[in-house]
Amino acid sequence: MCSSQEKEIEFLDTLNDCAMEKMVMEPTRVEVILDLVLIQIFTDYYRDVTRGVQLDSQILNDLLISLLHSCLLKELFHILRTCLLIKVLPAVDVLLKVFERVASMKLKEVVPELMDISSKFVDDGMVLGYDHIGYITKFLNQLQVSSKEITIFMSRFQARHFCKTSICDFSSAIAEFQHCKEKGDWAKLGIVYTHVRRQRCENFDLETYSLFIADILTGAVKEDRPGVPFCEFAAAVNAEPWHSEADKMLLGRIGISVLYAYYRIHQWQKARKVLDTLHVLQIHFTYLKGLIGPERSAPRCEIVNVAVEVFLNSGSLDGAVWILKESEWVINTLSWPCDRMDVLNRHNLLCKLASEYMIKNRYREAFEVLRNLPGFQNTRDSLDVSQYSLLFNKLFGASSESKNLAISSVVIDFMLAKKIPVDFQLFRTFITALGRNSLWLKARTYYRSALALGCYPPLEGNLYRKLLLIPSYITEVEMLLAIEIFLVSNASSIQSPGASNQILQVVLKRCEGDSVRTKDDYQSSVERLIQATQLAQPKLFLKHLTVNINQEQVYSLEHAWVLKWLKENMKWAGKVWLFQ
């Protein structure tokens, strides 16, 4: 007897002895110890003998199952690696049990090694059929393995070791589809579908098969079961390495029909999973239409609206905006027409989305949404955008109040450019905030715009009479800006020889209805006026002259300090304030 045969016999005798000992002893802690002993015997033996000589496959499979039951996965993987080394294949059912145990224990970190080992087993001759591939896909999905990883994994063996059964006639294919539906095996449904697709049999009509699949998957929506059948189906289809753009398009159209089915029964989270799957598979579904039902003729705007509503109701504002950006905010164009109800729905969705962003103080995102309301794009509809005044003023006020002046500037610029009516009180508050934050260049720019809109009483009638009427209700920032205009408008006269005798009067005007205002209110406006002159660079000084018949304080600006201010500031101030 040759040496290798003697070692084989010795090995089998040792395994039998260990098995007998295992039956006699306590089966709990001792089983684990015995498994470890068996592993050592197995690996030591196969380092020395000819690879795979007379190995009893049942003993190997029993050992693997025992390790699984004992949760000795590290050791189990060691045995599997040894099997690769000696070119011995475990049973397919054992491999599936390994996937099942890994999935049940949620050990995602061992998945790469398990996938690598499985691929090499297939390379060595292991044959996997429909059911096997379906189970593996199911377990990988449970572990939330990415679609890309599953695709790479499946592509390594589907071409060479796919089940050879031919499904070449319509009746057989439909029967297989129905069988998958009854078992609820959606991954297998995807595998059968791609198998039929790849065979390209006589009278093959991909859309006919796809319609049947769409009917099955939309019908499954109403069943009270966990998971989303379409997602398992799509992952299996995508794992096919030869899928074409036509396949992706039909998969997208099936996805839209399933999306609508969940949408109609308000299953928002499941509908969102459909959208997530389409995104992972890089299917630009907004360019497509559904495969069955009314969505077969749905306009693009409607499909985008449905997706946005799904994301909104599942709590994903950013998902909703992502869909809108992907579709380039399309509403009603010559290329993608829609009806008035779609436009109205888009308006309502965008308003809701912007409001949610404002609640979260995400003003930049809120503005991006509002600036794409119907009427702001090159659409077939002509809308009066002034109707959006309340929305934009709300955003303008909220961003200003939160001191997010950069966003406030963007918002007010847009409103001015689109001629959207601005709330004067909010505009004044914004200008004041700019000045108090030393953003004087911006404050002056917007003050000019506010004057042009009629936000302040007109100055032109009094400027060149060397009389400045300042409303008592405005802030110290606004008062200073009014004084700057006054000085620049009278600069030639002030700087002329002999002008030192001129009096530049400032009257602090009481407003209409000021009879209800308290004395303290007017006194605080006096203090603001003094503060305004102190904000000037260089400072200005007031001299009290009198109280006029309307009980208004009348002051004059000290000439020397006015001259000094003009000398230091006229170069830039003339460019800013000398306007028509």
Side-chain angles (χ1 to χ4, degrees):
M1 185 180 295
C2 68
S3 176
S4 66
Q5 289 176 324
E6 291 174 353
K7 289 185 178 182
E8 180 78 24
I9 292 170
E10 182 183 352
F11 168 65
L12 295 174
D13 288 342
T14 304
L15 285 180
N16 288 332
D17 291 343
C18 289
M20 184 64 69
E21 185 179 355
K22 183 174 180 180
M23 293 170 61
V24 175
M25 292 184 173
E26 290 292 326
T28 54
R29 181 178 62 86
V30 177
E31 279 191 5
V32 175
I33 298 172
L34 182 56
D35 284 336
L36 296 174
V37 172
L38 290 173
I39 292 166
Q40 191 63 45
I41 295 171
F42 183 89
T43 53
D44 285 350
Y45 172 76
Y46 275 105
R47 268 201 302 264
D48 299 328
V49 303
T50 304
R51 295 179 179 180
V53 174
Q54 298 180 0
L55 174 61
D56 188 327
S57 60
Q58 187 59 48
I59 292 176
L60 170 63
N61 292 323
D62 289 345
L63 175 59
L64 292 172
I65 293 296
S66 179
L67 294 174
L68 266 182
H69 288 163
S70 300
C71 294
L72 296 173
L73 292 185
K74 180 181 178 181
E75 290 73 16
L76 182 141
F77 276 78
H78 184 61
I79 292 292
L80 292 177
R81 287 288 183 192
T82 302
C83 289
L84 288 174
L85 182 67
I86 63 178
K87 301 293 184 183
V88 172
L89 298 176
V92 172
D93 288 345
V94 173
L95 182 64
L96 296 179
K97 288 183 183 296
V98 176
F99 273 97
E100 182 179 14
R101 177 55 61 92
V102 169
S104 67
M105 296 176 70
K106 299 180 180 178
L107 298 174
K108 189 174 180 179
E109 62 274 12
V110 306
V111 169
E113 184 178 4
L114 180 55
M115 291 168 71
D116 181 60
I117 290 172
S118 302
S119 298
K120 290 177 179 176
F121 280 146
V122 170
D123 290 340
D124 286 344
M126 181 179 284
V127 177
L128 300 177
Y130 289 140
D131 289 340
H132 306 139
I133 297 171
Y135 285 136
I136 291 173
T137 304
K138 172 185 173 183
F139 295 136
L140 293 177
N141 283 324
Q142 286 179 13
L143 287 162
Q144 297 182 330
V145 176
S146 73
S147 176
K148 182 178 179 181
E149 290 178 284
I150 294 176
T151 300
I152 294 171
F153 175 55
M154 293 296 183
S155 67
R156 292 185 63 177
F157 59 82
Q158 277 190 325
R160 284 172 289 174
H161 300 289
F162 200 88
C163 183
K164 303 300 181 182
T165 304
S166 175
I167 306 174
C168 238
D169 63 277
F170 183 77
S171 298
S172 298
I174 297 305
E176 283 291 332
F177 293 162
Q178 286 285 16
H179 179 67
C180 294
K181 173 188 174 182
E182 291 165 6
K183 291 182 63 179
D185 193 342
W186 311 113
K188 182 180 177 182
L189 179 65
I191 293 166
V192 175
Y193 172 78
T194 54
H195 187 49
V196 171
R197 165 80 171 89
R198 191 168 70 251
Q199 289 188 53
R200 296 277 184 173
C201 305
E202 186 178 355
N203 299 321
F204 178 83
D205 184 351
L206 179 58
E207 186 161 345
T208 300
Y209 285 105
S210 300
L211 285 168
F212 200 84
I213 293 289
D215 188 63
I216 289 175
L217 292 173
T218 53
V221 164
K222 298 177 183 178
E223 299 175 11
D224 186 16
R225 64 171 78 226
V228 178
F230 171 78
C231 298
E232 295 180 41
F233 167 81
V237 173
N238 192 59
E240 165 62 59
W242 300 280
H243 66 266
S244 65
E245 284 302 313
D247 295 319
K248 290 182 70 173
M249 184 182 73
L250 282 168
L251 196 57
R253 295 187 66 188
I254 294 170
I256 290 174
S257 293
V258 174
L259 172 68
Y260 268 75
Y262 283 121
Y263 172 82
R264 292 186 186 103
I265 59 175
H266 295 177
Q267 288 279 348
W268 306 118
Q269 294 298 335
K270 290 186 176 182
R272 179 175 169 180
K273 288 181 179 179
V274 173
L275 291 172
D276 291 339
T277 296
L278 293 174
H279 174 56
V280 169
L281 301 184
Q282 298 181 338
I283 297 174
H284 303 290
F285 68 93
T286 67
Y287 292 96
L288 306 175
K289 295 183 183 295
L291 200 58
I292 58 175
E295 55 272 20
R296 282 177 65 96
S297 57
R300 190 180 183 199
C301 180
E302 179 190 304
I303 292 173
V304 173
N305 287 349
V306 167
V308 169
E309 191 170 350
V310 166
F311 275 118
L312 270 174
N313 285 295
S314 61
S316 177
L317 302 183
D318 294 342
V321 170
W322 167 74
I323 286 289
L324 291 163
K325 286 181 177 178
E326 280 288 299
S327 64
E328 299 177 330
W329 303 88
V330 66
I331 300 180
N332 188 17
T333 66
L334 291 173
S335 301
W336 304 100
C338 66
D339 59 34
R340 294 180 64 84
M341 186 56 67
D342 294 322
V343 177
L344 178 61
N345 289 340
R346 174 63 61 83
H347 168 274
N348 294 339
L349 286 170
L350 295 185
C351 289
K352 181 179 179 181
L353 186 55
S355 296
E356 292 292 332
Y357 272 131
M358 280 190 267
I359 290 171
K360 297 178 181 295
N361 299 327
R362 296 178 62 180
Y363 304 117
R364 189 178 298 277
E365 290 86 350
F367 172 66
E368 183 178 20
V369 170
L370 291 182
R371 71 193 300 269
N372 283 286
L373 281 163
F376 291 128
Q377 303 156 316
N378 295 322
T379 67
R380 300 168 67 201
D381 303 302
S382 177
L383 298 176
D384 179 12
V385 297
S386 64
Q387 65 178 301
Y388 301 135
S389 175
L390 187 62
L391 287 168
F392 277 92
N393 278 302
K394 181 180 179 181
L395 174 59
F396 180 47
S399 57
S400 297
E401 186 178 346
S402 68
K403 303 189 187 311
N404 199 330
L405 300 180
I407 293 299
S408 299
S409 296
V410 173
V411 174
I412 193 63
D413 286 343
F414 186 82
M415 294 177 71
L416 294 173
K418 299 296 182 180
K419 295 181 172 53
I420 300 172
V422 181
D423 184 299
F424 286 171
Q425 184 59 48
L426 293 176
F427 206 177
R428 290 183 48 237
T429 301
F430 172 61
I431 292 169
T432 298
L434 291 172
R436 288 175 178 171
N437 284 276
S438 300
L439 299 171
W440 289 104
L441 184 60
K442 281 181 172 286
R444 293 180 181 105
T445 300
Y446 290 117
Y447 188 77
R448 284 180 55 176
S449 298
L451 280 173
L453 289 174
C455 190
Y456 301 99
L459 299 173
E460 287 80 356
N462 301 307
L463 284 178
Y464 300 100
R465 292 168 47 199
K466 302 179 180 61
L467 174 64
L468 176 62
L469 305 178
I470 294 183
S472 61
Y473 62 81
I474 66 176
T475 66
E476 76 285 354
V477 170
E478 297 166 298
M479 289 179 178
L480 175 56
L481 298 175
I483 291 171
E484 287 184 3
I485 295 175
F486 179 58
L487 297 182
V488 171
S489 300
N490 290 279
S492 297
S493 176
I494 294 169
Q495 292 174 320
S496 64
S500 58
N501 294 327
Q502 295 179 8
I503 297 177
L504 299 172
Q505 287 191 43
V506 178
V507 179
L508 192 58
K509 293 289 293 180
R510 291 183 183 274
C511 307
E512 293 182 11
D514 228 14
S515 57
V516 298
R517 295 173 67 88
T518 66
K519 182 179 179 180
D520 289 342
D521 287 336
Y522 189 77
Q523 181 57 40
S524 66
S525 68
V526 172
E527 294 169 2
R528 289 199 300 278
L529 178 58
I530 295 171
Q531 184 183 356
T533 60
Q534 298 303 296
L535 286 173
Q537 295 294 330
K539 295 179 181 179
L540 298 169
F541 290 91
L542 291 170
K543 179 180 179 181
H544 186 263
L545 295 180
T546 186
V547 177
N548 65 18
I549 192 172
N550 297 320
Q551 295 298 303
E552 296 166 339
Q553 301 291 336
V554 182
Y555 301 89
S556 67
L557 286 163
E558 293 283 0
H559 189 268
W561 293 98
V562 169
L563 277 175
K564 185 177 181 182
W565 189 91
L566 287 172
K567 182 179 179 181
E568 294 187 17
N569 297 291
M570 189 59 193
K571 187 174 182 179
W572 64 261
K575 295 177 181 178
V576 172
W577 296 123
L578 290 179
F579 57 93
Q580 296 297 320

